[in-house]
């Protein structure tokens, strides 16, 4: 009997130790599992095709809300994401950056195609849709932004610089910003690519 109790104790100890070894709490960016819904959208890509979230199953996705005339957050964030793709090397082929415009009236597919070409046209997909489509998606992921005023085209769009990261099954996993380390973000993405969910 004593032997059986010792065996059980050792087994529990091993399980506890292994669960600590494989803990996913050591991310470089914020973990959002259980706080945001799975990826879901139906939008028009920069190649003028209707695309849905299901079409990107198998890819780790980094979704960023911005607009092509942005002079502040967008170029900085997109440049950093391009650097992350360079660090990933061949693993970048299993990763996509979804640049969702907050200015669908201005950012048609052609404008988006020209914009993403400045960063990484191989791994970035520009997405647009109706104003309602964009509004629904920002609400789904609680993306903070103030749209351009209808009274004047000169007023800008104010928005955050959150990067929403989804695993290969479309589950929301991480949330990053442009202040996060490029190397750390690349490590987290590689970790997601190495896991099967």
């Amino acid at each position: 009997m004593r032997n059986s109790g010792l065996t059980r104790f050792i087994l529990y100890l091993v399980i506890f130790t292994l669960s600590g070894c494989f803990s996913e709490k050591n991310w470089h960016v914020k973990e959002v599992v259980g706080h945001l819904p799975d990826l879901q959208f139906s939008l028009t890509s920069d190649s003028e095709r209707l695309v849905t979230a299901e079409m990107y199953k198998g890819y780790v996705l980094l979704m960023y809300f911005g607009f092509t005339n942005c002079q502040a957050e967008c170029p900085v964030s997109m440049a950093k994401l391009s650097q992350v793709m360079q660090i990933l090397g061949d693993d970048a082929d299993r990763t996509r950056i979804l640049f969702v415009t907050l200015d669908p009236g201005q950012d048609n597919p052609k404008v988006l195609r020209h914009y993403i070409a400045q960063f990484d046209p191989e791994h970035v997909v520009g997405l647009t849709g109706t104003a309602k489509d964009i509004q629904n998606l920002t609400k789904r992921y609680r993306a903070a932004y103030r749209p351009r005023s209808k009274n004047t085209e000169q007023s800008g769009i104010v928005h955050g610089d959150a990067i929403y990261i989804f695993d290969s099954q479309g589950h929301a996993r991480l949330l990053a910003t442009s202040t996060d380390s490029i190397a750390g973000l690349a490590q987290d993405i590689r970790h997601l690519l190495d896991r099967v969910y």
Side-chain angles (χ1 to χ4, degrees), residues 16-190:
F16 177 78
T17 304
L18 286 177
S19 68
C21 290
F22 293 107
S23 171
E24 295 185 353
K25 302 296 181 190
N26 297 319
W27 299 103
H28 295 90
V29 301
K30 185 176 176 62
E31 185 177 23
V32 293
V33 174
H35 297 287
L36 290 173
D38 291 351
L39 188 60
Q40 186 176 19
F41 66 81
S42 179
L43 296 170
T44 302
S45 75
D46 58 87
S47 59
E48 302 184 42
R49 292 184 306 140
L50 184 67
V51 293
T52 64
E54 289 73 27
M55 295 171 72
Y56 294 100
K57 281 278 174 73
Y59 291 92
V60 167
L61 299 172
L62 291 77
M63 183 170 68
Y64 182 81
F65 293 97
F67 63 107
T68 62
N69 282 331
C70 177
Q71 301 299 314
E73 299 92 349
C74 301
V76 172
S77 295
M78 292 303 291
K80 286 193 170 189
L81 290 178
S82 297
Q83 291 177 53
V84 168
M85 294 299 109
Q86 290 175 11
I87 292 171
L88 289 175
D90 291 341
D91 285 334
D93 292 338
R94 297 185 292 141
T95 309
R96 289 293 177 268
I97 299 165
L98 305 178
F99 180 85
V100 181
T101 183
L102 294 171
D103 191 10
Q106 160 71 26
D107 292 342
N108 61 40
K110 183 178 180 181
V111 171
L112 285 169
R113 190 162 54 249
H114 176 73
Y115 182 75
I116 65 172
Q118 301 171 64
F119 299 102
D120 185 347
E122 189 177 347
H123 302 109
V124 182
V125 179
L127 296 174
T128 189
T130 66
K132 187 69 174 170
D133 291 336
I134 302 302
Q135 187 179 53
N136 288 342
L137 193 59
T138 57
K139 281 184 179 176
R140 183 174 174 84
Y141 295 102
R142 305 175 207 156
Y145 84 105
R146 187 185 71 209
R148 180 175 280 120
S149 169
K150 292 178 181 177
N151 300 329
T152 171
E153 287 297 307
Q154 298 306 313
S155 68
I157 296 172
V158 179
H159 66 93
D161 72 339
I163 301 158
Y164 300 81
I165 303 170
F166 301 85
D167 66 26
S168 59
Q169 297 305 304
H171 305 308
R173 303 284 302 185
L174 304 169
L175 186 69
T177 70
S178 61
T179 61
D180 287 309
S181 151
I182 293 170
L185 182 52
Q187 284 180 29
D188 286 351
I189 293 167
R190 190 164 272 137

